Amino acid sequence: ADALSARLETVEVGSSVQLSVARGFARFSDDVDRLKGWLAGAGVPDGVTMDADLRWIVTLQLARLGAIGAADIDAELRRDSSSEGIVHATRCRAALPTAEAKDRAWAQITTDADLANYELYAACEGFWHPAQTELTAPYVDRYFAEIAGTDKLRSGWVVARSALLAFPRYAISEHVVDRGSDLAADESVAAGIRRSVADGVDDLKRALAVRSAFAG
């Protein structure tokens, strides 16, 4: 965030690079006042337009930081009530660092058969965050206990895709690798879910190997 903030001071005004840097800054910054200022139209770098996409990126980061609530997300949705806006709002609500928000998002992921596909993906994407590992810790084992059941709710590509997006990718531990390996080997589980879990396990193994190689 510091590097991107500094780059904003030197990048060509109005360029595509400036927009990329601004988006990157919004994704990583914990400067709540500055991000809220952008939404209010204050302090936005010259040449950067606060279009719907950038507003949702800022809103998502503020949600992750716990700096806004559901009412603020609803207000942003009223500004952009398009189908894309609905998806963005779903992702933001799932990202809120509260027990209520996580319970609601988890229910959408594991029990809501009527949720639109892109809203389902957004709930999965917003659910996990490396700064929220303590809050989401109880859901790690729940994932392995409950994700196989989503095959009864949905069909086709959606089952595998949502299983991959909902994988607890920030819970980097041997325990999670073991749970995932067991599930991936369980032939009673739908093949698409098993493949997605195996992909998630492979990523965790790589992360553990990196941590082992560079420990300390």
Side-chain angles (χ1 to χ4, degrees), residues 60 62-66 68-71 73 89-110 115 122-128 132 135-136 139 142:
L60 176 60
L62 288 170
R64 285 172 171 159
L65 294 169
I68 60 173
I73 296 169
T90 300
R91 185 181 295 107
C92 291
R93 292 190 189 101
L96 290 170
T98 67
E100 294 77 12
K102 298 306 180 186
D103 282 345
R104 181 179 185 275
W106 193 253
Q108 289 179 309
I109 294 167
T110 59
L115 191 66
C124 295
E125 291 165 344
F127 189 86
W128 305 102
Q132 299 175 0
L135 176 64
T136 56
Y139 293 92
R142 287 187 63 179

Side-chain angles (χ1 to χ4, degrees), residues 147-183:
I147 198 63
T150 60
D151 181 49
K152 305 297 189 295
L153 304 174
R154 305 167 185 121
S155 61
W157 172 257
V158 178
V159 177
R161 182 63 177 164
S162 58
L164 181 61
L165 292 175
F167 187 87
R169 55 193 177 277
Y170 301 119
I172 303 170
S173 71
E174 292 288 356
H175 169 73
V176 177
V177 169
D178 291 342
R179 290 296 308 272
S181 297
D182 289 343
L183 183 56

Side-chain angles (χ1 to χ4, degrees), residues 23-73:
R23 287 177 172 175
F25 172 78
R27 288 188 178 100
F28 293 107
S29 176
D30 62 359
D31 189 338
V32 170
D33 290 339
R34 189 173 182 186
L35 292 176
K36 284 187 172 182
W38 281 20
L39 286 182
V44 181
D46 290 340
V48 173
T49 299
M50 288 297 295
D51 59 13
D53 284 343
L54 185 51
R55 289 189 65 88
W56 280 118
I57 291 172
V58 172
T59 301
L60 176 60
Q61 183 63 2
L62 288 170
R64 285 172 171 159
L65 294 169
I68 60 173
D72 301 290
I73 296 169

Side-chain angles (χ1 to χ4, degrees), residues 143 147-151 159-160 163 183-184 189-198:
Y143 172 87
I147 198 63
T150 60
D151 181 49
V159 177
L183 183 56
V189 176
I193 293 176
R194 292 170 61 200
R195 285 194 299 270
S196 293
V197 171

